[in-house]
Amino acid sequence: MRTQVAIIGGGPAGLLLSQLLNLAGVETVVIERKSRDYVLSRIRAGVLEWGTVELLRQARAGDRMDREGILHGGCLMSDGDRVFRIDFHQGAGRPVMVYGQTEVTRDLYAAQDALGATILHECEDVALHDLDGEAPFVTLTRHGQPLRVDCAYVAGCDGFHGVSRPAIPASVRREFEKVYPFGWLGVLSATPPVSDELIYARHDRGFALASMRSPVLSRYYIQVPLTDRVEDWPDDRFWAELKRRLPADVAARLVTGPAIEKSIAPLRSFVCEPMRWGRLFLCGDAAHIVPPTGAKGLNLAASDVHYLSRALIAACTRGDLAGIDRYSAEALARVWKAMRFSWQLTMLLHRFPDHSPYERGMQEAELDWLRNSPIARAALAENYTGLPF
Ligand code: RFL
Ligand code: PHB
């Protein structure tokens, strides 16, 4: 099989890249390890920056998002019972869109199907070859049969545990990592959200977040120790702990119900440099991981796709290589700024087991500054709604 761009990974990054390339007349083959149903069963991000919203529209995958997504002009922050609001319009002149990653992925599959795109699911033993030469290729096994895909470029969109990043030689690769000493326990429930806007809650017992997917579907998170297992958290215990961490008046109106999904994700910050080696380009979680506190993971995947799609379209249709030479530096400049924001918000809002009263004092001072300073709130709004691509 031959194509122009082989895309490893059919998550949001791989599908969006494939869609934008196909619309510009560039041929792709998406190579995904799991089944379509499996990919669509993942419950992950919920907040889209405005740049991501516009990119999905540009990819002709934004119609349902525009109908069903919920525009949010602000979010709430609490510290115990003290609550204040970050106004996104006032601070940054734009809102965010609450629309789940699962739905984004579903819409991208539908858009790819409409274009007749090639997406190979259930691919095993995926391996990348001759990435530093003129004629790279990908080998894999599918339904017991070996397959070879020859291409001009390879896009590594295969997430943190994929095969693309390790294909960059260790002598070239630099990795930067911070692992946080806790995880987030997330629950999806068929209950009305407790608040019209997301609530980011700092509390002495640990962080909590009240989010949503629709007027009848809520998503809640609480900070838990890394040693905890999902089985340690039956629904009753989860709801009781969430209520303790939210402001009392909010907790009093929280509607609880059975968890439809419950999972624990560890928190980490990770960056790999460079994001390009030869004819391989890393994109999304394959190159970087942020803690979910700033809601940046999916949005960073989208901004990488923006830069990479432009670069590959110029290379494949006009022979213009300037964009692919610029890609790594251009994407990383934005990645590090989103890293910084996600780290800052994580440090501000969580209970760290090794924090002394001094560090708790620093958190309280920063929250008090945010509460009282329109400039501080505007800076948060600018980052939360997304720095320009
Ligand atoms: P994905 O979504 O991980 O997709 C990668 C795809 O590659 C496939 N794959 C392979 N395919 C072929 N060969 C191989 N060897 C392969 N290895 C892997 C995988 O099956 C998968 O389909 O990466 P992508 O596309 O870069 O998208 C990034 C986002 O998914 C990610 O940044 C966010 O979901 C991060 N994230 C969250 N972000 C938020 O903004 N808010 C959240 O609440 C939030 N929750 C989460 C998250 C990530 C999680 N992970 C990765 C464990 C919760 C979880 C549990
Ligand atoms: C979510 O709804 O899953 C969500 C929202 C905001 C975050 C993280 C996760 O910061």
Side-chain angles (χ1 to χ4, degrees), residues 8-14 31-34 39 42-47 101 123 126 157-163 184 213 221 263 265 283-286 292 295-299 301:
I8 317 300
I31 297 164
E32 166 59 47
R33 187 175 52 177
K34 302 286 189 183
V39 173
R42 295 183 178 126
I43 309 289
R44 290 185 178 172
V47 176
Q101 176 169 334
C123 298
V126 175
C157 304
D158 48 351
F160 185 64
H161 300 288
V163 293
W184 279 18
R213 288 292 176 274
Y221 297 93
S263 53
C283 193
D285 277 15
K296 289 283 166 257
L298 174 60
N299 293 298

Side-chain angles (χ1 to χ4, degrees), residues 330-388:
E330 197 169 38
L332 281 166
R334 192 171 188 282
V335 165
W336 276 108
K337 288 192 272 280
M339 270 304 138
R340 188 207 65 78
F341 175 67
S342 306
W343 161 82
Q344 180 202 24
L345 216 53
T346 303
M347 298 303 289
L348 174 67
L349 296 173
H350 289 77
R351 172 97 214 192
F352 285 74
D354 61 346
H355 266 182
S356 64
Y358 174 84
E359 281 134 335
R360 299 289 290 166
M362 287 296 106
Q363 287 183 328
E364 279 156 27
E366 190 173 337
L367 269 174
D368 201 43
W369 175 55
L370 273 171
R371 188 182 294 117
N372 290 299
S373 160
I375 294 173
R377 288 197 303 275
L380 197 149
E382 183 187 32
N383 282 281
Y384 191 88
T385 58
L387 296 176

Side-chain angles (χ1 to χ4, degrees), residues 184-195 197 199 207-213 217-223 238-239 242-243 246 250 253-257 261-263:
W184 279 18
L185 167 64
V187 159
L188 186 71
S189 68
T191 52
V194 70
S195 158
E197 296 186 332
I199 305 174
F207 172 77
L209 170 63
S211 182
M212 67 194 72
R213 288 292 176 274
L217 206 53
S218 298
R219 181 72 168 158
Y220 296 105
Y221 297 93
I222 56 171
Q223 172 189 348
F238 175 82
W239 293 119
L242 176 66
K243 283 184 181 177
L246 293 172
V250 175
R253 56 171 200 268
L254 180 79
V255 180
T256 64
E261 194 264 2
K262 199 186 279 169
S263 53

Side-chain angles (χ1 to χ4, degrees), residues 124-353:
E124 295 169 75
D125 312 322
V126 175
L128 316 184
H129 308 271
D130 290 357
L131 296 166
D132 54 346
E134 292 296 306
F137 62 99
V138 180
T139 55
L140 58 103
T141 310
R142 187 159 183 259
H143 306 158
Q145 301 294 317
L147 184 67
R148 171 175 164 143
V149 182
D150 288 280
C151 56
Y153 299 105
V154 178
C157 304
D158 48 351
F160 185 64
H161 300 288
V163 293
S164 299
R165 191 178 63 255
I168 301 180
S171 58
V172 176
R173 214 179 337 132
R174 288 185 72 197
E175 296 186 344
F176 306 79
E177 184 169 48
K178 178 171 176 66
V179 175
Y180 301 89
F182 41 74
W184 279 18
L185 167 64
V187 159
L188 186 71
S189 68
T191 52
V194 70
S195 158
D196 290 345
E197 296 186 332
L198 271 62
I199 305 174
Y200 287 85
R202 176 181 183 269
H203 194 277
D204 286 340
R205 298 180 66 90
F207 172 77
L209 170 63
S211 182
M212 67 194 72
R213 288 292 176 274
S214 78
V216 291
L217 206 53
S218 298
R219 181 72 168 158
Y220 296 105
Y221 297 93
I222 56 171
Q223 172 189 348
V224 295
L226 281 173
T227 43
D228 280 15
R229 299 282 153 256
V230 170
E231 303 74 65
D232 300 331
W233 287 93
D235 291 0
D236 288 350
R237 183 177 175 212
F238 175 82
W239 293 119
E241 186 60 35
L242 176 66
K243 283 184 181 177
R244 284 195 196 104
R245 298 183 190 187
L246 293 172
D249 60 322
V250 175
R253 56 171 200 268
L254 180 79
V255 180
T256 64
I260 303 171
E261 194 264 2
K262 199 186 279 169
S263 53
I264 296 181
L267 267 65
R268 100 170 63 225
S269 299
F270 174 88
V271 184
C272 167
E273 291 188 357
M275 286 172 64
R276 176 223 180 156
W277 186 69
R279 287 173 177 261
L280 170 69
F281 301 85
L282 300 182
C283 193
D285 277 15
H288 39 73
I289 296 288
V290 282
T293 325
K296 289 283 166 257
L298 174 60
N299 293 298
L300 268 187
S303 62
D304 288 353
V305 166
H306 165 76
Y307 298 125
L308 185 56
S309 60
R310 277 197 323 187
L312 289 173
I313 291 165
C316 292
T317 63
R318 302 193 296 277
D320 170 1
L321 304 184
I324 62 174
D325 287 340
R326 219 175 30 232
Y327 170 67
S328 180
E330 197 169 38
L332 281 166
R334 192 171 188 282
V335 165
W336 276 108
K337 288 192 272 280
M339 270 304 138
R340 188 207 65 78
F341 175 67
S342 306
W343 161 82
Q344 180 202 24
L345 216 53
T346 303
M347 298 303 289
L348 174 67
L349 296 173
H350 289 77
R351 172 97 214 192
F352 285 74

